[in-house]
Amino acid sequence: MGHGRDTARFHKVGRVSLLIKSPADVERLRAVVGEYRVLLSGADTGGRLAVVEQILPPGALGAAPHVHHGHEEDFIVTAGAITFDTATEARVVAAGGVVSVPRGAAHGFGNDSAETARCIVTFTPAGYEDYFRLIDELVRAGTSPDADTLARLRARFATESATH
């Protein structure tokens, strides 16, 4: 392997290929508030999973309550604290904590603290990272999507808004 500007590469090891990405290869997307970093997309994993880092500034709503019917989500809080809303409670999860959301489970989350929070989210199977790409397109075009727009976008990914 050479030095200089690293780029995502598939490396052949025996009969299988490994994907290696440098930080410069990570796709950065704007959120309504905060940022998404697509660490692994479905294109990288053959659709098996996607991994996204979500960066939530203080007071940011990550997602209003919703239900996924087409994938599971697993969160690892890596910095700060994130409040997760379930059908029955709101619970603060600090750095190092994990949350696993099966299909059909209502959930929402946000950063109620005064410091930036980060989490790594795994989507199984992949595909929901395309929802974040659509949000990025709207934000870059100068639009701040409202709740109805976000609900319409989510519906394209077998996800519906939920109320508790």
Side-chain angles (χ1 to χ4, degrees):
M1 286 194 242
H3 296 281
R5 186 176 187 281
D6 291 329
T7 57
R9 293 190 179 103
F10 281 97
H11 297 275
K12 196 77 164 167
V13 179
R15 288 188 241 165
V16 297
S17 296
L18 303 176
L19 172 68
I20 299 174
K21 283 185 165 184
S22 75
D25 298 320
V26 171
E27 181 181 10
R28 298 178 82 102
L29 303 172
R30 293 182 185 177
V32 175
V33 178
E35 179 181 354
Y36 307 110
R37 296 177 64 239
V38 180
L39 305 174
L40 289 172
S41 69
D44 296 328
T45 67
R48 180 172 48 89
L49 62 87
V51 180
V52 174
E53 179 182 32
Q54 188 159 13
I55 302 164
L56 297 166
L61 174 65
H66 59 282
V67 177
H68 301 292
H69 298 289
H71 69 273
E72 287 83 29
E73 285 182 340
D74 296 291
F75 296 81
I76 302 169
V77 179
T78 58
I82 298 175
T83 302
F84 286 86
D85 295 310
T86 70
T88 59
E89 67 179 328
R91 187 140 170 219
V92 176
V93 180
V98 297
V99 176
S100 185
V101 182
R103 291 177 202 208
H107 64 289
F109 58 94
N111 180 0
D112 295 333
S113 78
E115 68 178 271
T116 297
R118 293 175 178 257
C119 62
I120 302 292
V121 189
T122 301
F123 303 95
T124 311
Y128 202 68
E129 70 275 21
D130 290 335
Y131 168 74
F132 302 125
R133 289 180 177 124
L134 293 173
I135 291 172
D136 176 74
E137 288 176 19
L138 291 172
V139 171
R140 286 184 191 274
T143 302
S144 182
D146 61 17
D148 289 337
T149 300
L150 294 173
R152 282 194 301 278
L153 291 176
R154 283 184 182 144
R156 295 170 59 179
F157 298 93
T159 298
E160 63 184 336
S161 296
T163 56
H164 298 317

